[in-house]
Amino acid sequence: MTTGSTSIGLRLEALVVVFALGFSGAATTVAAWAREDGDWRALRDLRNALVTIGLGYCAGLSAVMLASSGFITRVLFGLHDPRAESMVHTLLPLVIAYLVVDTLITMSMGYLVGLSDTRTPTVVVGAGYWIIGLGTGILLSRLTPLGFYGLWVGVIVGGCGIGICVFARIGRHIAIVKNTRKKGDVNAGPHILGPGRSGHRHT
């Protein structure tokens, strides 16, 4: 039961990660440009756009997955056992919750890579999933009636903690760039970024 549930859950999750990885790479490039230009508004708008796109994608895909659980089980996975279809139906809400959390984290990590901020976020992700998430999941699976499904709940809890830390860090970067720009405007006029930097991506 546990092995089969694990396999089905991971295969469901694998269906939905490619989109987030693509936008993560795009966010890296756009964030690097905005940082180079000292454009805090572009950084803020990028963060808001990632959240909007990520949530919209998750909402649409979740609706499709919920409406086609039988198709996913029988056609995509090639499973014709009624028990497997029942597992998919039970796991879908947890997979969807994880999808939302993981999509936003993946996109945001690409954003932070563009800001050359990788060390602390990597530690946060490792601790969030492997210590908080896995630890909580093991406790829930052993001490509550959730059983195997407690592992998924634990991972979701860990992901929520990671998401809070990552978005707080993004907000801090935006504030730093904003404050630096304001100080530069006062002290150095319009060329605070040095010759050739402002708007360099448009040349």
Side-chain angles (χ1 to χ4, degrees):
M1 171 70 174
T2 300
T3 302
S5 298
T6 302
S7 175
I8 291 172
L10 292 176
R11 290 169 75 179
L12 281 171
E13 193 272 338
L15 289 174
V16 300
V17 298
V18 176
F19 177 92
L21 290 173
F23 269 89
S24 176
T28 298
T29 301
V30 177
W33 282 343
R35 181 194 181 208
E36 183 74 5
D37 288 346
D39 191 345
W40 68 269
R41 291 184 179 85
L43 290 173
R44 179 198 60 194
D45 292 345
L46 174 61
R47 177 196 61 190
N48 296 341
L50 289 178
V51 172
T52 301
I53 292 170
L55 291 178
Y57 165 71
C58 291
L61 186 58
S62 297
V64 172
M65 291 175 67
L66 288 171
S68 59
S69 60
F71 174 83
I72 292 172
T73 306
R74 293 188 295 270
V75 178
L76 294 185
F77 293 171
L79 301 173
H80 301 281
D81 188 340
R83 291 176 301 175
E85 188 165 346
S86 176
M87 285 182 191
V88 170
H89 184 74
T90 304
L91 277 171
L92 270 177
L94 294 175
V95 172
I96 288 169
Y98 178 76
L99 161 68
V100 175
V101 173
D102 190 58
T103 295
L104 295 178
I105 290 174
T106 301
M107 291 181 173
S108 300
M109 289 297 289
Y111 185 113
L112 290 175
V113 169
L115 300 178
S116 300
D117 183 4
T118 57
R119 181 180 302 174
T120 298
T122 299
V123 172
V124 168
V125 169
Y129 280 132
W130 290 102
I131 298 177
I132 298 175
L134 185 59
T136 302
I138 291 174
L139 290 176
L140 290 174
S141 65
R142 292 186 176 181
L143 302 179
T144 73
L146 288 172
F148 161 78
Y149 300 104
L151 292 173
W152 279 89
V153 174
V155 171
I156 293 167
V157 169
C160 288
I162 294 169
I164 291 170
C165 293
V166 168
F167 275 93
R169 199 161 183 86
I170 287 175
R172 179 172 173 269
H173 279 290
I174 294 172
I176 289 173
V177 173
K178 180 179 180 180
N179 292 335
T180 301
R181 186 61 182 258
K182 285 183 176 180
K183 291 177 182 178
D185 287 339
V186 172
N187 297 329
H191 302 294
I192 61 169
L193 300 176
R197 289 183 116 189
S198 180
H200 90 104
R201 70 176 183 274
H202 303 297
T203 60

